[in-house]
Amino acid sequence: MKILVYIDLQNGVPTSLSRELVNGARGLVGSGGTVDLALFGADASVAGDLGADRILHGAAPSDYTSARHGAWLDRAIDESKPDLVLLGYTTSGLDLGPAVAMRRDLPLASYCAAVRPGDGTVEVDSSIYGGKLVSTVSAALPAILLINAGAFEEAGASAAGSAKIVELAAPDAGAEASISFIAASTPDPNAIDITKASRLLCVGRGIGSEDAIEEAREAAELMGAELVGSRPIVDAGWLPKERQVGKSGRKVKPKLYLSLGVSGAPEHIEGMGSAEFIVAINTDANAPIFDHAHVGAVVDVADFLPAFKEALGKKAG
Amino acid sequence: MHIAVILRIVPDLAEELEIAENGTEIDREWIGLKLNEFDDHALEEAILVKEQTGARVTAIALAGDGAERQLQTAIARGADDATVVKHDLDGAIESRTAAHLLGPVLRKLGVDVVMTGVQTPEDVFGQLAPFLAGALDWPVLNAVNGISVADATMTINQEYSGGYSARFAVKAPVVLGIQTASKPPRYVSGSKLRQASSATIEAATSELPGGFVPQSVSKLSEPERGTRARILDGKAEQVAAQLVDLLAEQGLVGA
């Protein structure tokens, strides 16, 4: 079996998810198979220690654009002729995977949490409906998979320099003419860094209304925690972006993570699943957050918050 | 600029989902349905661009439960017109199939920007925006969280993980998978909704290209329950008291 892994870069180096994908691909192909990397916009050496057989390198500008990387990925697929193309379930994975699948008429599965190659097919388990159900899908090879963070272990560095570097011929520049990169932005260094806090109180959609934010803030203060939120809370404008936990926010690993009204979609778990002690309060006993929490209770946040504040006050008493 | 916003009705995840007897889909008979939340943001962003530039906004949905009502709501929120796309398929329609149905309609309408939500809770075979881009042979940007327009060039903010993002200058045509609108989706008053309930919804008809076979789910199941949380019983007051004691024991509350 041959697998092509698209490498996502952040600050010029492969992301931890890309490292997971390469390690996963190594396991899937076994000893007789080949793992190729598709690496565009950085020196090939940045992926030299990932453990691939070949690095299919595109000497593209360092700035990612969907059109440019789509055109380069087509070149890499032509060169590799893989059975599977693995991309992370990330912004670039979304930009590139389905568009390539449509152009090439290849099957695709998204949100993959487990991958089982078969004879001419691949079977995957995908986490859908916010993590509440698992969809098992079988696809004929070649196929494209968008893989969730955590589906595979991240590999340690292997011996650098063992991968063969193949320079790809540049695609036609016409494809990228309509999208041009202006500027990148990184997290504001002056904003609060929630990744440094040892205790976090996280509010999710289940807190109900913006009025409850103030009450949650008071509870956070009483317990010596920073107040953070899941994506819907930030999208609603109830908390600033720098306080968002999850895939599109920050990845945190506090000693205590108290979640109030957070359902626990995979995108949220990706941001907090490795917290040391997780407490979940939610009215839905089937919410996926209870699969990740150490302690939980099925109660309404609106009832819990005032009682929690009172109990904290008594303890401090 | 003529913007099409694709709206999809999806199961409400706040409700309990039951697996249907065939074991490959959820039982949709009793489940609550709602507008896909990312499509809600896509509609809002389209209306914001309209307010900034005078662009025309057409809301589009594939025919199905609740589709026409959502389109009327879109008109109440500021869309100029709406089109329901009739087809002969039953049940949930996966994204690539939807892209095949919508592509010809979008071309016929002559739109030059397509916006839709970046994902739905059930698009296991891939997401609509990039499939539409493939169908139309247009570029695509996903995880978009802000658009401004000047002199026919859009400045589009694309979000990545970990708080990173980038801005691009983009010329139409383009497909955009919207993650978050520049402002939270607006509230629509009851009177506006009532007014829009008599708005005309245009109808278009589409069919799949010959020989196209959609992917299918082989099994739908509950996730494996690993180490479930220890559940604290009782009413909110009892839960709160137990939790504070437990956290205090571990030195996890107070200074």
Side-chain angles (χ1 to χ4, degrees), chain A residues 8-15 41-42 46 62 184-187, chain B residues 160-162 164-165:
Chain A
D8 238 329
L9 301 171
Q10 202 160 69
N11 295 327
V13 296
T15 60
V46 303
S62 59
S185 31
T186 53
Chain B
Y160 310 108
S161 57
Y164 290 79
S165 63

Side-chain angles (χ1 to χ4, degrees), chain A residues 144-234:
Chain A
I144 296 181
L145 304 180
L146 302 186
I147 311 277
N148 277 0
F152 303 120
E153 301 272 311
E154 184 177 341
S158 71
S162 56
K164 184 184 170 197
I165 296 166
V166 177
E167 287 297 336
L168 299 170
D172 178 5
E176 60 185 81
S178 65
I179 299 181
S180 45
F181 174 83
I182 302 173
S185 31
T186 53
D188 179 358
N190 297 317
I192 173 150
D193 185 353
I194 58 170
T195 65
K196 300 250 163 65
S198 66
R199 296 172 197 166
L200 294 173
L201 188 158
C202 181
V203 290
R205 203 193 302 266
I207 70 158
S209 74
E210 189 172 7
D211 299 339
I213 295 282
E214 199 42 49
E215 191 153 38
R217 200 188 311 279
E218 289 164 14
E221 215 163 282
L222 282 168
M223 62 188 278
E226 285 292 342
L227 180 65
V228 295
S230 64
R231 187 191 47 72
I233 296 296
V234 173

